[in-house]
């Protein structure tokens, strides 16, 4: 029975309800069929009170409602709202959502690909578009009241993260900022920074998942709960969770091997192991989907950290005869797919694998990765949301913001390739991936299923699932374009001050406090160690220094010997000729090999890629006896190598042809397989005859402390003292290095730009104004190419080929085969671009601008030049993709980036006495056709 309110309480409640009805939040809440969560209400109230907000909440919790309230407030107040997202797919999705609510007349879209109703009061855009507007002083900023930065945790991204900080720093003070982030462990720190640079900012953190998440492991035929008692579903409750003891026993049983000996014992062991293994195996992909379907756990997203793996998974399910849709579902899928792909010519559909893709979709199965055509990916997303695709095999890119929740998320492995090596996924990545499980308003609970793998540690998995540490780390670094734009607007001094307000500097300054405390503790420790090494016979610190000097001299001589051996090895490599048979002494490709190309740096003989320089000595291209064509590095030759034999390389030999490689490798084994290489003899150590070492040993023996009975005990204290002293000096250097780091980098960039006449004090020259209009990783290289008129006289297709080198980055690090490039003017222009880059690289070294720290110009990549040239020349898609050996999605993405930079070049190139601007516009038209031109906006 409800308790009766007193007249005073009833009056107060009525007064509160009336006050709420007068707010903008009341009519906004009525737009939704469900009630708002407390964190959403708190954030909306802060916004209406005129504060900025930072909302950190799990994936799928509905934090975008706060962004939509900012849109609502802007329209109510007659002001503008810009809604920014990190990726075009998310921009397209948010644009479609807002158009449904407010109509196409009030909502616009601006991405690198599309411009729709750009003057609307509400415009959805990628973050880079807003950054470019701020630097250009665009009129579109007039009347701007709110900016929503969705997925603001992207500022940790080492390639693009700086853009978010640039926007936050440069937005006018009158603009209210709405920052939406995944759950991060240092939200308060980020909020403190926003409070510093943007004014009053409310930090709202919610760790509660709207749908509880259950964690499982699938091993063999059984699904195990990861935790014995799971009451803390995504942050609800606080009871301790223990790892399921059945899983621990499973891991122990798999990893324990019996130790009995003898033939009969071994046979018994094998039989026992076979029975154990029969209960533990990693189920196949079709088997996993069938199991999830039987348990009512579809729709599911299976994360496979490989594009080829995603495509293979779909094929495996098709071969297994898996069908997840009934006849009505198949019909609806076909209708939607045919409608969405109606603009794609029939000829292109065949090239794109349309019919195989459609067959899988009709069965309710699909892949989703960056190598797919954007239109195909969008269709998969739409069908999945409609429940017509029930099993999606995806790479981790799907986890980045796209609204595509599932009932279940499956992780095949807990290891992924990070671009350099196979590494364990982090707790943050695990949370991001499994955050897709559980659809709000549809599912009572979500499920995360990890497939059992040999050697799996349940405790490690529990650590991933239970850790909520995902700190936001700034990746902000000044760039050349940023420098000229800042100096143009604010002058050098004010620009330097602005950069010191970045989140990167904010974090660096905070970290200095902790380091300073550590220095104080170390200094106290040094006093204790000094007392411990005191010797009554003499100055033990001096004696310890002699011992260190002796050790350092011995190490230096050892290093010199290694350098001499490497130099001898490099000299031997320089003498190799095509057709030499050698024995590779070490490394992954050790053994017999045939030299195809000596790979000697330019300037000595004809080098690789028409004179493009290697900086680490000869890199011979060889065919191994195992039929692999590889470009080896100096580390594969720690000792000099001599030719064992000579062979003729057939003119018809093609390193890309498996048959050619097989035939030549067979001939190699026949010719030289019986030869045993000579063993390299070790040389006498240089330390034996070194005068400095003899002198130091004599001084050691003559020192008073040498005869001390406690000498080695004192030496241990002295070593600790030296180590702690060295660590303390490093900490002091870190303090010095972290103070004004961003500003110091900016100073170096400004000095280099001054050297190249882009800046003269606070004045931006004509060259600088051109650089200000060029955005991208190789902004300075593009500007220097315009300045040197490298692209003059090139046709549109030739210009597209050259510009591709400014954007393309190969996914393959192996450069065994030189990329194909168009001949004539393009080849000369690309060679000149590489030479200009070499000059800039030398300048960056002189000015201490370090590419490893994310600042500077990487080497241009020519791997897409031929494909860009062919496509802009009007060649058919089938021919271009076949020669490029590239998925359609990658091809479209690189073409769009080429178009983006061509547009920048058209705007930046000189108008008089130049054909570049005109041909850049023609190149855009020539590239923006067919699959590249299909609109992403539906």
């Amino acid at each position: 029975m409800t308790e009766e309110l007193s007249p005073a309480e009833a009056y107060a409640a009525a007064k509160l309800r009336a006050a709420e009805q007068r707010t903008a939040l009341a009519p906004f809440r009525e737009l939704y069929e469900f009630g708002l969560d407390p964190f959403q209400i708190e954030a909306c109230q802060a916004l209406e009170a005129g504060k900025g907000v930072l909302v950190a909440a799990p994936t799928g919790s509905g934090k975008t409602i706060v962004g939509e309230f900012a849109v609502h407030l802007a329209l109510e107040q007659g002001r503008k709202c810009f809604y920014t997202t990190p990726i075009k797919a998310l921009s397209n999705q948010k644009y479609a959502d807002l158009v449904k609510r407010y109509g196409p007349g009030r909502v616009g879209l601006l991405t690198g690909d599309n411009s729709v109703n750009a003057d609307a009061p509400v415009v959805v855009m990628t973050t880079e578009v807003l950054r470019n507007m701020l630097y250009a002083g665009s009129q579109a900023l007039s009347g701007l009241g709110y900016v929503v930065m969705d997925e603001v945790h992207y500022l940790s991204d080492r390639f693009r993260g700086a853009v978010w900080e640039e926007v936050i720093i440069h937005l006018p003070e009158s603009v209210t900022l709405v920052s939406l982030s995944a759950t991060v462990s240092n939200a308060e720190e980020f909020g403190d920074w926003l409070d510093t640079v943007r004014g009053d900012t409310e930090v709202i953190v919610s760790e509660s998942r709207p749908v509880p998440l259950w964690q499982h492991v699938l091993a063999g035929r059984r699904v195990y709960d990861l935790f014995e008692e799971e009451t803390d579903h995504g942050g609800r409750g606080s009871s301790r969770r223990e790892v399921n003891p059945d899983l621990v026993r499973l891991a122990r049983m798999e990893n324990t091997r019996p130790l009995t000996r003898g033939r009969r014992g071994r046979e018994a062991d094998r039989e026992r192991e076979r029975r154990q293994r029969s209960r533990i195996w990693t189920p196949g992909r079709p088997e996993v989907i069938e199991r999830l379907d039987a348990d009512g756990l579809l729709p599911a997203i299976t994360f496979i950290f490989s594009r080829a793996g995603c495509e293979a998974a779909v094929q495996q399910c098709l071969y297994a005869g898996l069908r997840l849709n009934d006849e009505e579902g198949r019909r609806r899928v076909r209708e939607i797919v045919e409608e969405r792909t109606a603009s794609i010519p029939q000829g292109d559909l065949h090239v794109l694998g349309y019919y195989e893709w459609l067959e899988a979709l009709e069965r309710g199965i699909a892949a989703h990765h960056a190598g797919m055509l954007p239109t195909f990916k969008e269709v998969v997303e739409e069908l999945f949301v409609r429940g017509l695709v029930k099993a999606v095999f995806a790479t981790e890119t799907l986890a980045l913001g796209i609204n595509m929740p599932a009932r279940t998320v499956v992780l095949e492995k807990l290891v992924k390739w990070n671009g350099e090596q196979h590494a364990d996924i982090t707790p943050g990545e695990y949370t991001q991936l499994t955050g897709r499980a559980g659809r709000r308003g549809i599912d009572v609970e979500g499920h995360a299923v990890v497939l059992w793998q040999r050697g799996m540690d349940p405790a490690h998995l529990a650590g991933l699932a239970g850790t909520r540490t995902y700190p936001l780390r700034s990746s902000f670094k000044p760039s050349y374009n940023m420098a000229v734009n800042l100096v143009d607007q604010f002058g050098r001094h004010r620009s330097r001050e602005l950069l010191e307000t970045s989140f990167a500097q904010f974090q660096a300054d905070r970290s200095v406090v902790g380091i300073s405390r550590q220095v104080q503790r170390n200094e106290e420790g040094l006093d204790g160690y000094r007392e411990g090494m005191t010797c009554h016979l003499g100055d033990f610190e001096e004696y310890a220094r002699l011992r260190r000097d002796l050790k350092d001299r011995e190490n230096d001589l050892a290093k010199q010997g290694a350098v001499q051996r490497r130099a001898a090895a490099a000299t031997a490599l320089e003498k190799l000729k095509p057709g030499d048979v050698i024995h590779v002494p070490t490394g992954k490709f050790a053994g017999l090999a045939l030299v195809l190309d000596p790979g000697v740096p330019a300037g000595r003989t004809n080098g690789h890629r028409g004179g493009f320089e290697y900086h680490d000595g000869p890199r011979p291209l060889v065919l191994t006896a195992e039929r692999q064509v590889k470009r080896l590095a100096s580390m594969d030759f720690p000792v000099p190598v001599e030719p064992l034999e000579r062979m003729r390389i057939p003119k018809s030999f093609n390193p890309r042809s498996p048959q050619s490689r097989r035939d030549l490798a067979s001939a190699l084994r026949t010719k030289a397989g019986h030869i045993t290489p000579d063993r390299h003899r070790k040389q006498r150590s240089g330390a034996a005859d070194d005068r400095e070492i003899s002198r130091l040993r004599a001084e050691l023996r003559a020192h008073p402390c040498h005869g001390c009975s406690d000498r080695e005990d004192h030496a241990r204290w002295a070593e600790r003292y030296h180590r702690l002293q060295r660590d303390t000096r490093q900490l002091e250097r870190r303090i010095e290095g972290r103070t004004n780091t961003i500003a110091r980098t900016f100073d170096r960039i400004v000095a280099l730009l001054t050297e190249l006449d882009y800046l003269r004090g606070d004045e931006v020259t004509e060259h600088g104004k051109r650089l200000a209009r060029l955005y991208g990783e190789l902004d300075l290289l593009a500007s220097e190419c315009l300045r040197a008129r490298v692209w003059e006289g090139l046709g549109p297709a030739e210009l597209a080929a050259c510009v591709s080198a400014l954007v393309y980055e190969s996914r393959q690090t192996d450069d065994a085969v030189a990329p194909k490039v168009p001949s004539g003017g393009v080849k000369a222009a690309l060679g000149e671009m590489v030479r200009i880059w070499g000059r800039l690289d030398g300048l960056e070294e002189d000015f201490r601008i370090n590419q490893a720290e994310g600042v500077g110009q990487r080497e241009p990549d020519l791997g897409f030049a031929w494909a860009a040239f062919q496509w802009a020349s009007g060649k058919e898609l089938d021919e271009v993709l076949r020669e490029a050996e590239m998925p359609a999605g990658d091809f479209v993405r690189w073409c769009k980036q080429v178009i983006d930079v061509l547009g920048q070049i058209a705007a930046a190139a000189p108008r008089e006495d130049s054909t570049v601007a005109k041909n850049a516009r023609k190149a855009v038209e020539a590239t923006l056709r067919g699959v590249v031109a299909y609109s992403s906006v539906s």
Side-chain angles (χ1 to χ4, degrees):
M1 186 176 172
T2 307
E3 188 177 334
E4 290 273 337
L5 294 177
S6 67
E9 288 171 334
Y11 174 73
K15 192 173 179 182
L16 183 62
R17 283 195 299 274
E20 284 180 353
Q21 287 302 313
R22 290 194 295 271
T23 66
L25 182 56
F28 176 74
R29 293 172 75 161
E30 292 173 7
L31 298 173
Y32 296 90
E33 296 175 357
F34 53 85
L36 301 189
D37 289 341
F39 85 89
Q40 295 166 332
I41 295 170
E42 184 184 353
C44 291
Q45 287 173 339
L47 262 183
E48 194 168 359
K51 298 179 180 179
V53 294
L54 165 63
V55 181
T59 301
S61 60
K63 53 184 174 285
T64 54
I65 283 177
V66 182
E68 290 168 11
F69 183 60
V71 172
H72 179 82
L73 282 176
L75 292 173
E76 187 183 71
Q77 296 165 6
R79 302 166 80 191
K80 288 183 182 178
C81 178
F82 288 170
Y83 197 112
T84 72
T85 71
I87 52 178
K88 293 169 187 174
L90 196 53
S91 292
N92 296 332
Q93 200 171 63
K94 181 51 65 177
Y95 169 73
D97 293 344
L98 292 175
V99 164
K100 281 180 189 173
R101 172 162 295 168
Y102 299 111
R106 304 175 82 186
V107 183
L109 175 69
L110 281 175
T111 68
D113 307 335
N114 297 292
S115 176
V116 180
N117 198 16
D119 296 325
V122 177
V123 183
V124 183
M125 61 184 69
T126 47
T127 316
E128 279 86 353
V129 170
L130 179 53
R131 185 272 311 271
N132 298 353
M133 278 185 179
L134 288 166
Y135 281 149
S138 171
Q139 287 298 311
L141 298 169
S142 176
L144 182 61
Y146 296 87
V147 165
V148 180
M149 301 196 79
D150 203 353
E151 309 287 342
V152 75
H153 53 271
Y154 253 75
L155 66 77
S156 290
D157 185 270
R158 65 191 181 105
F159 298 112
R160 298 172 56 211
V163 177
W164 274 255
E165 288 190 51
E166 287 179 82
V167 168
I168 292 169
I169 291 169
H170 297 312
L171 273 175
E173 287 183 20
S174 58
V175 176
T176 301
L177 186 68
V178 181
S179 304
L180 309 178
S181 170
T183 307
V184 291
S185 53
N186 61 335
E188 287 76 13
E189 179 189 37
F190 186 49
D192 288 347
W193 175 67
L194 287 173
D195 210 52
T196 303
V197 295
R198 299 297 316 165
D200 198 358
T201 301
E202 193 87 14
V203 179
I204 293 113
V205 178
S206 172
E207 294 196 9
S208 176
R209 283 179 51 92
V211 180
L213 178 66
W214 291 86
Q215 311 270 357
H216 312 282
V217 174
L218 178 56
R221 294 188 181 89
R222 185 175 169 189
V223 177
Y224 296 84
D225 289 336
L226 175 58
F227 297 106
E228 187 175 26
E229 181 183 349
E230 188 165 345
T231 58
D232 185 14
H233 307 309
R236 295 182 181 178
S238 58
S239 67
R240 181 178 175 81
R241 300 189 293 175
E242 298 292 339
V243 179
N244 187 342
D246 289 345
L247 277 176
V248 176
R249 276 194 295 274
L250 207 65
R252 192 184 303 126
M253 182 174 68
E254 187 193 55
N255 295 328
T256 303
R257 291 186 174 273
L259 298 175
T260 52
R261 300 179 182 275
R263 181 178 173 184
R264 295 179 66 180
R266 286 197 300 272
E267 287 178 358
D269 290 344
R270 279 197 292 270
E271 177 59 25
R272 189 180 301 110
E273 190 175 338
R274 188 189 63 76
R275 287 199 303 270
Q276 288 176 357
R277 296 277 187 271
S278 69
R279 295 190 299 174
I280 314 168
W281 75 89
T282 304
R285 289 155 177 168
E287 193 179 350
V288 172
I289 300 302
E290 286 177 332
R291 176 63 195 266
L292 295 178
D293 191 23
D295 290 352
L297 296 179
L298 295 181
I301 299 170
T302 301
F303 284 108
I304 301 172
F305 303 120
S306 151
R307 298 177 182 185
C310 293
E311 295 292 346
V314 172
Q315 291 305 312
Q316 289 159 13
C317 290
L318 293 181
Y319 293 150
L322 212 58
R323 283 183 170 80
L324 305 176
N325 277 339
D326 57 20
E327 199 55 45
E328 173 61 17
R330 291 171 67 91
R331 185 189 61 76
R332 288 179 61 203
V333 166
R334 184 173 285 274
E335 281 179 3
I336 292 167
V337 171
E338 287 177 350
E339 179 189 340
R340 292 296 304 273
T341 58
S343 60
I344 304 178
Q346 284 295 317
D348 286 355
L349 289 178
H350 179 72
V351 176
L352 297 167
Y354 168 82
Y355 299 101
E356 297 84 354
W357 172 69
L358 176 58
E359 166 64 16
L361 290 179
E362 288 181 338
R363 295 190 186 195
I365 303 161
H368 188 289
H369 56 75
M372 293 170 63
L373 193 71
T375 304
F376 282 17
K377 279 199 300 181
E378 289 164 16
V379 169
V380 170
E381 291 160 14
E382 181 180 342
L383 293 176
F384 190 82
V385 170
R386 291 189 182 206
L388 295 171
V389 165
K390 299 179 175 66
V392 168
F393 298 95
T395 55
E396 69 270 28
T397 52
L398 187 145
L400 302 176
I402 299 170
N403 183 24
M404 198 171 153
R407 179 169 296 168
T408 304
V409 163
V410 180
L411 270 67
E412 282 202 341
K413 293 180 178 177
L414 300 176
V415 174
K416 63 176 245 188
W417 177 255
N418 64 8
E420 296 174 358
Q421 61 183 353
H422 286 94
D424 292 340
I425 65 172
T426 64
E429 288 168 334
Y430 184 89
T431 302
Q432 186 86 6
L433 295 168
T434 57
R436 291 279 159 210
R439 296 164 297 174
R440 185 170 190 169
I442 301 174
D443 299 322
V444 176
E445 57 196 24
H447 298 269
V449 178
V450 178
L451 301 191
W452 181 269
Q453 300 290 343
R454 189 175 180 84
M456 178 182 281
D457 179 5
H460 171 67
L461 175 56
L464 287 177
T467 304
R468 302 226 175 270
T469 54
Y470 178 47
L472 200 58
R473 294 279 176 254
S474 172
S475 60
F476 183 81
K477 295 288 185 300
S479 68
Y480 296 111
N481 170 278
M482 187 194 301
V484 291
N485 274 299
L486 285 174
V487 172
D488 194 32
Q489 284 192 18
F490 306 106
R492 288 176 61 170
H493 180 69
R494 174 75 180 123
S495 296
R496 206 174 186 276
E497 289 179 344
L498 271 173
L499 291 174
E500 290 192 318
T501 66
S502 67
F503 187 45
Q505 192 59 58
F506 185 83
Q507 288 189 309
D509 291 345
R510 282 198 165 189
S511 67
V512 164
V513 177
I515 297 173
S516 297
R517 291 198 191 104
Q518 185 62 48
V519 168
Q520 290 172 2
R521 286 194 292 269
N522 284 7
E523 286 171 346
E524 291 168 6
L526 285 171
D527 292 339
Y529 290 163
R530 192 180 293 110
E531 187 177 332
M533 70 178 183
T534 302
C535 178
H536 66 288
L537 295 178
D539 185 352
F540 202 90
E541 193 170 344
E542 181 183 65
Y543 180 74
R545 193 179 306 113
L546 282 172
R547 286 174 65 136
R548 280 198 307 276
D549 289 347
L550 176 60
K551 185 179 178 182
D552 290 346
R553 180 61 182 168
E554 288 171 342
N555 289 340
D556 286 345
L557 288 175
K559 286 177 186 175
Q560 286 174 24
V563 169
Q564 288 166 3
R565 286 192 296 277
R566 282 198 298 271
T571 303
L573 287 176
E574 287 172 6
K575 295 176 182 176
L576 293 179
K577 297 179 178 61
D580 281 345
V581 177
I582 61 172
H583 185 274
V584 181
T586 187
K588 189 176 177 182
F589 306 105
L592 205 60
L594 173 65
V595 177
L596 302 175
D597 168 22
V600 178
R604 298 185 182 173
T605 66
N606 290 330
H608 178 58
R609 294 189 180 177
F612 303 164
E613 291 192 14
Y614 281 114
H615 299 282
D616 54 353
R619 296 191 59 192
L621 181 70
V622 302
L623 171 72
T624 68
E626 283 71 40
R627 308 190 300 276
Q628 292 174 298
V629 173
K630 292 292 174 184
R631 191 169 289 283
L632 303 181
S634 55
M635 67 182 67
D636 296 309
F637 298 94
V639 296
V641 64
E642 298 291 336
L644 306 175
E645 257 295 356
R646 289 277 304 159
M647 276 183 66
R648 189 181 69 82
I649 302 171
K651 288 184 179 178
S652 60
F653 176 70
N654 179 1
R656 290 180 181 272
S657 165
Q659 186 62 48
S660 283
R661 295 198 302 268
R662 192 179 297 116
D663 292 345
L664 192 56
S666 176
L668 169 65
R669 291 192 296 271
T670 303
K671 180 87 172 177
H674 62 284
I675 301 175
T676 303
D678 293 335
R679 295 194 64 179
H680 187 76
R681 293 182 181 179
K682 290 189 73 174
Q683 296 178 338
R684 176 182 167 87
S685 169
D689 305 318
D690 186 70
R691 290 182 179 179
E692 179 67 9
I693 283 183
S694 300
R695 183 188 67 79
L696 287 168
R697 284 173 177 165
E699 284 190 30
L700 264 181
R701 286 191 291 270
H703 197 282
C705 294
H706 192 68
C708 179
S709 57
D710 296 325
R711 182 185 69 196
E712 294 308 310
D713 191 35
H714 294 326
R716 279 191 290 274
W717 284 107
E719 180 58 31
R720 290 172 191 164
Y721 178 86
H722 172 66
R723 236 183 352 248
L724 187 60
Q725 188 180 54
R726 185 186 60 209
D727 291 346
T728 305
R729 285 172 182 161
Q730 285 179 349
L731 290 173
E732 287 169 345
R733 283 195 294 273
R734 280 172 65 189
I735 290 173
E736 185 182 338
R738 290 189 181 190
T739 308
N740 309 117
T741 47
I742 303 295
R744 275 204 306 274
T745 304
F746 173 74
D747 289 342
R748 292 170 191 158
I749 286 173
V750 166
L752 187 148
L753 291 174
T754 302
E755 174 79 10
L756 292 174
D757 196 34
Y758 283 87
L759 295 173
R760 293 177 195 152
D762 283 349
E763 179 195 350
V764 178
T765 67
E766 281 305 309
H767 302 308
K769 291 184 186 299
R770 181 178 56 244
L771 175 58
R773 292 193 287 271
L774 295 168
Y775 301 93
E777 200 179 354
L778 297 182
D779 47 7
L780 184 58
L781 176 58
S783 181
E784 284 292 284
C785 287
L786 284 172
R787 184 180 190 173
R789 301 174 70 87
V790 171
W791 302 322
E792 288 296 339
L794 294 179
E798 294 174 319
L799 182 56
C802 290
V803 168
S804 75
L806 300 174
V807 297
Y808 180 70
E809 284 189 84
S810 173
R811 297 182 81 231
Q812 303 296 327
T813 54
D814 187 0
D815 56 354
V817 181
K820 185 176 181 180
V821 297
S823 57
V826 178
K827 189 170 186 178
L830 288 170
E832 185 59 29
M833 287 172 67
V834 172
R835 278 187 283 278
I836 291 173
W837 168 80
R839 178 169 57 82
L840 292 177
D841 191 50
L843 273 173
E844 287 178 342
E845 193 172 329
D846 294 343
F847 284 89
R848 293 182 297 139
I849 294 170
N850 191 349
Q851 287 182 44
E853 295 174 357
V855 184
Q857 309 279 279
R858 63 166 175 82
E859 184 175 2
D861 192 321
L862 316 188
F864 194 62
W866 179 251
F869 175 76
Q870 290 279 85
W871 182 250
S873 298
K875 297 292 184 184
E876 291 296 323
L877 180 66
D878 187 13
E879 181 182 349
V880 176
L881 290 183
R882 187 173 62 250
E883 291 196 27
E885 296 181 342
M886 180 180 289
D890 285 343
F891 173 74
V892 169
R893 187 172 74 256
W894 291 122
C895 279
K896 287 186 174 180
Q897 290 193 32
V898 169
I899 289 168
D900 185 31
V901 175
L902 282 168
Q904 295 174 28
I905 287 169
R911 292 288 181 272
E912 298 176 7
D913 190 30
S914 172
T915 60
V916 173
K918 180 178 69 174
N919 284 336
R921 286 189 290 272
K922 287 182 178 178
V924 169
E925 293 170 7
T927 308
L928 190 61
R929 66 179 181 89
V931 290
V932 181
Y934 302 150
S935 175
S936 298
V937 185
S938 52

